[in-house]
């Protein structure tokens, strides 16, 4: 997937594409986890949407639950 030590570096355009793909994958994973947490807090714990977002964000960041 990436260059080996003895191969020349990838062109800048390929590097930018790889970087964008990695950032997109990371943001997508965080968004999916946050969305799942928000829905769980809203539908299971019956919290309002904003409180569910706050709790899911705090759990995802490692701070702990608010409510």
């Amino acid at each position: 997937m990436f260059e080996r030590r003895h191969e020349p570096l990838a062109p800048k355009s390929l590097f930018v594409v790889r970087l964008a793909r990695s950032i997109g994958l990371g943001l997508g994973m965080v968004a999916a986890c946050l969305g799942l947490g928000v829905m769980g807090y809203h539908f299971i714990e019956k919290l309002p949407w904003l409180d569910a977002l706050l709790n899911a964000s705090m759990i995802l960041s490692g701070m702990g639950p608010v409510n």
Side-chain angles (χ1 to χ4, degrees):
M1 176 173 183
F2 298 112
E3 299 80 30
R4 298 189 184 270
R5 287 187 208 188
H6 57 79
E7 296 176 345
L9 292 176
K12 190 174 183 178
S13 59
L14 181 59
F15 170 73
V16 170
V17 168
R18 287 178 183 169
L19 186 63
R21 186 176 23 211
S22 296
I23 290 171
L25 180 63
L27 288 176
M29 289 172 56
V30 169
C33 292
L34 185 61
L36 186 63
V38 168
M39 285 191 234
Y41 272 116
H42 180 71
F43 293 118
I44 296 172
E45 293 294 323
K46 306 296 186 208
L47 289 177
W49 284 107
L50 194 56
D51 290 338
L53 176 63
L54 174 64
N55 273 307
S57 300
M58 294 299 276
I59 289 286
L60 195 59
S61 68
M63 298 290 288
V66 177
N67 292 342

